[in-house]
Amino acid sequence: MVKIIEDKKFSELTTFKVGGPIKYYAEAKSEEDVKEVADFAKEKNLPIFVIGGGSDILVSDKLFDGVVVHYTGDSVSLEESGEFSLITSEAGKNWDDLVEFAVAKNLGGIECLSGIPGTVGAAPIQNIGAYGQELKDTFVSLRAFEIEKGKFRTFYPEDCDFGYRESIFKNPEYWQKFIITSVSLNLKKNADPQVVYESLINYMKENNVHDVNLRNVRDAVLAVRKSKFEDPKEVGNAGSFFKNPVIEKVQAEKLIKEYPGISCRETKDGRYKCFAGWFIEKAGWKGKTHKNAGVSPRHALVLINPEGKATATEIVELSEKVAKDVEAKFGVTLTPEVQFINF
Ligand SMILES: Cc1cc2nc3c(=O)[nH]c(=O)nc-3n(C[C@H](O)[C@H](O)[C@H](O)COP(=O)(O)OP(=O)(O)OC[C@H]3O[C@@H](n4cnc5c(N)ncnc54)[C@H](O)[C@@H]3O)c2cc1C
């Protein structure tokens, strides 16, 4: 029997440390449990929200009149297949623990995704990415429970519509309709990692790391991330609050001419992806606060809950002010990467 709890709050479950009370909360450790929770929600005629580590969501301060389910199963299996290994992890596993597991086995393909908070089950939702790697590069399939139909279903890459911080699971037709229970990745044995990001290359140079192996790349990523990101254990945040905007070539050329220090890179389709943090910093928001919410003094792309007193409304207000100023100064629209829940 799954235990259904009635006195949980989102503020206890999210890295932003904000969010209102939850009507019902349940932890499911198996696929049987998932079915049971879904039946419970159906009986009560309540919506389900699936939560992992709560590191990519901003939840409103009001009551969530539904059932929040957290999948906790975290076993991992490996299947050899020539030069590759198929790694299948249950959704409740901590993502970074899975990366460590792969690197310890000398399996390459996700080492640059070291240190990303959250669970394996959430990784496909926004196709997590960092330092030149994305989940989709190694993704084979996932298994998910379709809440409405009460059945399990397998999704392959062609079903997922992966893009930059996007997947089909963010599409309103699929949103909160599936509970992912496992994810399978194809990882290369004894892989030679490719280090393409300047900050990683620089870190390795500065620290005399000449042997570019999986372990060294993982360590470099963890060190660079530590120097850059706010640690949610110390300061409430959800990582990059906005996506890096992708703009047309004409606009990018104009901006580069006007602001030579701007950080924009040409993408495969000829448009330009620019670092959102640069715009926010140049708009004067780095380190600034609005009521109890703030922009990180270390990383302008990260909005923070500095003393744990911010409400979700205050964080939303801050994000709107930041986006409005960036739009007015540069004509660039910032869209949130963080998902807004129960607003
Ligand atoms: C300090 C910091 C740094 C970060 N750096 C990066 C980064 O470099 N790159 C990056 O891509 N992201 C980054 N993030 C964002 C975040 O870590 C990822 O998006 C992560 O995948 C979220 O995992 P989670 O388990 O916390 O998901 P949650 O925040 O709990 O949920 C996110 C979404 O996934 C859904 N979901 C969760 N579990 C399941 C499941 N089992 N089945 C179905 N749906 C599910 C939720 O409903 C929600 O829509 C960062 C966050 C922080 C706080």
Side-chain angles (χ1 to χ4, degrees):
M1 272 280 277
V2 182
K3 204 167 148 197
I4 311 269
I5 296 170
E6 289 187 53
D7 59 354
K8 274 269 178 208
K9 293 191 187 98
F10 268 112
S11 55
E12 298 161 16
L13 303 171
T14 59
T15 58
F16 246 135
K17 300 181 176 74
V18 300
I22 294 167
K23 180 110 184 191
Y24 297 110
Y25 171 78
E27 292 188 351
K29 62 182 179 317
S30 65
E31 294 192 343
E32 280 312 303
D33 285 0
V34 166
K35 281 188 193 161
E36 204 182 310
V37 178
D39 285 346
F40 173 83
K42 201 171 182 184
E43 226 171 75
K44 300 254 178 213
N45 200 20
L46 289 175
I48 284 182
F49 179 77
V50 196
I51 193 163
S55 66
D56 202 33
I57 52 177
L58 177 61
V59 190
S60 80
D61 306 306
K62 64 182 190 221
L63 169 78
F64 177 71
D65 193 13
V67 181
V68 173
V69 58
H70 174 58
Y71 190 82
T72 59
D74 64 355
S75 67
V76 177
S77 66
L78 262 187
E79 214 179 289
E80 308 277 319
S81 164
E83 285 175 38
F84 290 87
S85 284
L86 181 74
I87 193 167
T88 297
S89 169
E90 276 192 283
K93 188 156 188 76
N94 175 278
W95 170 261
D96 188 56
D97 289 349
L98 186 71
V99 179
E100 169 55 33
F101 177 88
V103 168
K105 297 223 172 292
N106 217 8
L107 297 172
I110 52 174
E111 60 284 351
C112 291
L113 306 180
S114 290
I116 297 182
T119 54
V120 168
I125 305 292
Q126 74 151 351
N127 176 31
I128 54 168
Y131 303 103
Q133 277 178 351
E134 286 182 304
L135 181 88
K136 74 172 171 55
D137 305 337
T138 54
F139 178 84
V140 174
S141 63
L142 63 82
R143 192 169 148 80
F145 183 74
E146 189 165 1
I147 297 167
E148 256 168 48
K149 293 195 175 151
K151 279 189 194 153
F152 280 90
R153 177 173 161 188
T154 303
F155 284 79
Y156 297 97
E158 59 273 24
D159 306 317
C160 295
D161 243 342
F162 287 128
Y164 168 57
R165 302 296 180 272
E166 283 297 341
S167 78
I168 196 155
F169 300 103
K170 283 191 167 181
N171 177 325
E173 270 177 51
Y174 285 71
W175 172 246
Q176 301 305 321
K177 300 285 193 299
F178 294 89
I179 303 172
I180 296 171
T181 54
S182 71
V183 177
S184 297
L185 306 174
N186 204 22
L187 302 183
K188 193 162 189 318
K189 290 179 188 166
N190 305 317
D192 269 337
Q194 302 290 314
V195 177
V196 290
Y197 259 60
E198 214 176 296
S199 52
L200 276 191
I201 296 170
N202 290 343
Y203 175 88
M204 293 179 100
K205 259 193 210 151
E206 281 159 20
N207 290 278
N208 295 317
V209 184
H210 304 297
D211 186 7
V212 184
N213 59 38
L214 295 172
R215 173 61 61 197
N216 287 345
V217 171
R218 171 167 164 76
D219 288 348
V221 170
L222 290 175
V224 172
R225 291 186 72 95
K226 196 168 174 207
S227 68
K228 206 170 90 172
F229 277 106
E230 300 279 0
D231 182 349
K233 284 192 199 107
E234 289 161 16
V235 183
N237 78 94
S240 305
F241 194 90
F242 298 101
K243 291 184 190 176
N244 288 319
V246 180
I247 58 176
E248 296 304 325
K249 189 175 177 170
V250 186
Q251 190 183 10
E253 281 175 350
K254 205 168 147 236
L255 284 169
I256 292 166
K257 206 167 156 200
E258 204 173 337
Y259 305 98
I262 197 170
S263 176
C264 292
R265 283 195 299 143
E266 196 171 356
T267 60
K268 280 181 198 147
D269 64 5
R271 293 188 298 162
Y272 280 71
K273 192 197 262 184
C274 302
F275 175 50
W278 184 91
F279 294 109
I280 298 170
E281 188 171 344
K282 295 295 169 210
W285 273 103
K286 193 175 183 183
K288 291 267 171 69
T289 53
H290 163 73
K291 298 180 183 168
N292 291 301
V295 177
S296 164
R298 295 169 62 184
H299 193 324
L301 193 43
V302 177
L303 301 196
I304 54 174
N305 179 6
E307 289 164 33
K309 291 185 196 153
T311 61
T313 306
E314 289 171 349
I315 296 171
V316 173
E317 283 170 7
L318 171 63
S319 74
E320 287 170 354
K321 281 176 178 290
V322 168
K324 197 171 153 225
D325 282 358
V326 167
E327 179 93 49
K329 192 164 166 58
F330 302 103
V332 168
T333 307
L334 294 182
T335 51
E337 175 180 320
V338 167
Q339 296 173 36
F340 288 26
I341 312 296
N342 200 28
F343 279 92

